[in-house]
Amino acid sequence: MKIVYVYADNQREWNCSEWRCAVPARAINRTKGHQAVLLWIEDFMRTSPAAVDTCQDADLIVVQRNLFGPTLAAIQHWKARDRVVIADFDDAYDLMPPSVGSYDFWRHGIASENGTPLENVQRVDPPPITQFRWGLRLVHAATVPSKRLADDWSTYTSINYVPNYIDLEKYTSAAPVPHEGIHIGWGGSLSHFDSFNHQGVLTALKRICQSRPQVKILINGSNREIFDLLPVPQNQKILRPWVPYDQWARELATYDIGLAPLNGPYDDRRSWIKVLEYLVLKIPWVASEGPAYHELRPYGWLVQNSAQSWERVLLDMIDHIDDYRAEASREAYLYGISQSIDGNIDKSLSIYAEIIEKARGVRVNPSIKVEAETKRGS
């Protein structure tokens, strides 16, 4: 099979396209008998020469998230030429809280940069969330990394659950960095503002820093808002700037304990990325109870969003950190590496083959016995 991944992230925001497009594409190209190509969504929308050259012999075109405007016409263009086109998305655009930077765009069609005068704001009409629903009815199927998302959108098209598998090569070289004290860490964008903006985790971190002066809270991200939420002394919290994806694992390796707070229905549709990264780096972790991390319960701690629950578990981790590190190095680590992209790409290819078969009514041989040319995680 030849799969074309139409990615939507630009270089400044590169993250989702790495996990949903670049990671599986690299794994597919390491197999025998399959090919994957990355195509920028702007080229796809314009049906540029690069898009024509890339898509004309594709067995499957995977369009990432931006199902609105010229993208819909491009989907129709390739469907009319007997190409199978599916969508891939990893966010609950219909449940976005206003704190998410793209809320006004998805919900109201307001496309503007910070500081743009109101009279100069560009508007998308109908709003992208409306066109997104049209797009799901237009494509042959969709893939998502959340079972809740799959349930939410199943009335619009056939939704297939494809988890975010991890590219171990990006993490195996990251070694723990020696430092004094205990680092409790988290990294992410402002789309997680509401994940932190509740008294459970904030009050717990305040109490922990008061009772354990050796603790420092590390926040990785390009926005100060989440950092400023933390009600802890300035000398016990550190803000680190966002780094390119290929440097991210080294930042994570400075954590002694990983946080994964979630809050509300929007967060219930998150994928398991944060905790999966902790697993493969042998970092003890604590996360909010909920569907996003439910499958990973045996390999860490899930807590209710009360201050008492967060504080109790985190204090136990701090006071017995060596025991928790040892535990994170056993079954948790083994499960994490079992979710490598190379070890699971056959599952994705099998789903793609089934989608193509249903769309064309022709039997497709996905070559399920995929042999990776480079062995990972051994």
Side-chain angles (χ1 to χ4, degrees):
M1 285 188 288
K2 177 183 177 181
I3 297 97
V4 175
Y5 287 97
V6 179
Y7 65 90
D9 284 358
N10 58 44
Q11 291 304 310
R12 188 179 67 251
E13 63 183 358
W14 189 262
N15 184 52
C16 293
S17 292
E18 176 70 19
W19 284 89
R20 302 304 293 172
C21 300
V23 167
R26 289 196 297 267
I28 288 169
N29 286 330
R30 288 193 289 263
T31 67
K32 297 177 180 178
H34 301 289
Q35 178 189 4
V37 181
L38 296 176
L39 177 68
W40 189 34
I41 198 162
E42 292 287 339
D43 284 321
F44 181 75
M45 289 190 303
R46 295 194 301 265
T47 318
S48 70
V52 173
D53 183 61
T54 302
C55 295
Q56 62 185 351
D57 59 346
D59 295 292
L60 184 72
I61 301 171
V62 183
V63 181
Q64 188 184 27
R65 95 168 163 254
N66 289 359
L67 304 184
F68 49 78
T71 302
L72 302 184
I75 291 171
Q76 290 176 313
H77 172 89
W78 290 108
K79 284 184 66 181
R81 285 153 180 79
D82 199 31
R83 299 301 95 195
V84 179
V85 185
I86 69 171
D88 181 271
F89 61 100
D90 63 353
D91 223 341
Y93 309 111
D94 57 326
L95 298 173
M96 271 185 176
S99 62
V100 176
S102 55
Y103 171 85
D104 281 336
F105 175 73
W106 280 100
R107 299 298 293 274
H108 305 300
I110 300 173
S112 65
E113 298 292 334
N114 291 337
T116 302
L118 187 61
E119 63 270 16
N120 295 329
V121 167
Q122 296 180 347
R123 293 184 180 271
V124 178
D125 187 34
I129 187 62
T130 299
Q131 297 190 47
F132 180 80
R133 294 186 176 99
W134 296 348
L136 287 183
R137 295 190 184 280
L138 190 62
V139 295
H140 291 101
T143 50
V144 296
S146 158
K147 292 179 180 177
R148 280 289 179 93
L149 278 181
D151 291 341
D152 290 348
W153 297 96
S154 61
T155 58
Y156 291 88
T157 191
S158 173
I159 307 287
N160 299 266
Y161 172 60
V162 178
N164 280 316
Y165 297 115
I166 195 163
D167 189 348
L168 292 179
E169 185 180 46
K170 301 293 183 180
Y171 297 83
T172 52
S173 61
V177 178
H179 55 264
E180 295 184 358
I182 301 292
H183 288 177
I184 299 176
W186 177 91
S189 68
L190 193 54
S191 71
H192 289 267
F193 183 84
D194 281 18
S195 306
F196 267 92
N197 194 21
H198 59 87
Q199 289 307 304
V201 68
L202 293 178
T203 300
L205 292 175
K206 177 181 179 180
R207 293 173 182 171
I208 288 166
C209 287
Q210 288 172 341
S211 63
R212 302 294 190 275
Q214 77 273 29
V215 167
K216 294 185 185 297
I217 313 300
L218 272 58
I219 299 294
N220 287 84
S222 55
N223 296 291
R224 289 189 60 93
E225 285 88 342
I226 292 174
F227 177 79
D228 290 338
L229 276 178
L230 298 175
V232 304
Q234 289 296 320
N235 66 343
Q236 284 185 272
K237 61 180 181 178
I238 300 170
L239 178 65
R240 289 179 170 169
W242 196 253
V243 296
Y245 179 76
D246 60 0
Q247 300 175 29
W248 173 233
R250 291 197 294 274
E251 291 290 322
L252 280 174
T254 65
Y255 296 2
D256 296 297
I257 299 170
L259 294 178
L262 299 176
N263 185 35
Y266 177 66
D267 279 352
D268 283 345
R269 278 79 180 165
R270 300 277 188 184
S271 78
W272 63 6
I273 285 177
K274 285 194 187 305
V275 172
L276 184 60
E277 289 182 321
Y278 296 152
L279 293 181
V280 301
L281 287 173
K282 305 177 184 178
I283 299 170
W285 57 273
V286 56
S288 297
E289 179 75 60
Y293 305 129
H294 182 75
E295 292 179 62
L296 305 180
R297 174 187 288 278
Y299 311 110
W301 287 92
L302 298 182
V303 300
Q304 298 294 326
N305 274 338
S306 69
Q308 294 78 9
S309 296
W310 279 96
E311 182 181 11
R312 176 179 56 81
V313 172
L314 283 170
L315 283 177
D316 196 64
M317 285 184 168
I318 293 164
D319 294 342
H320 305 91
I321 189 62
D322 289 338
D323 293 337
Y324 280 93
R325 284 172 176 154
E327 187 175 351
S329 299
R330 295 193 289 264
E331 287 84 359
Y333 170 69
L334 293 176
Y335 183 81
I337 63 174
S338 77
Q339 302 308 304
S340 72
I341 187 63
D342 288 291
N344 291 277
I345 193 61
D346 58 330
K347 297 176 183 176
S348 299
L349 289 168
S350 179
I351 289 172
Y352 291 162
E354 291 176 7
I355 292 171
I356 295 168
E357 180 181 346
K358 290 179 181 178
R360 292 181 175 169
V362 177
R363 178 66 181 168
V364 177
N365 180 5
S367 299
I368 299 303
K369 188 178 180 180
V370 176
E371 298 180 7
E373 295 179 358
T374 304
K375 300 297 183 183
R376 308 281 179 192
S378 57

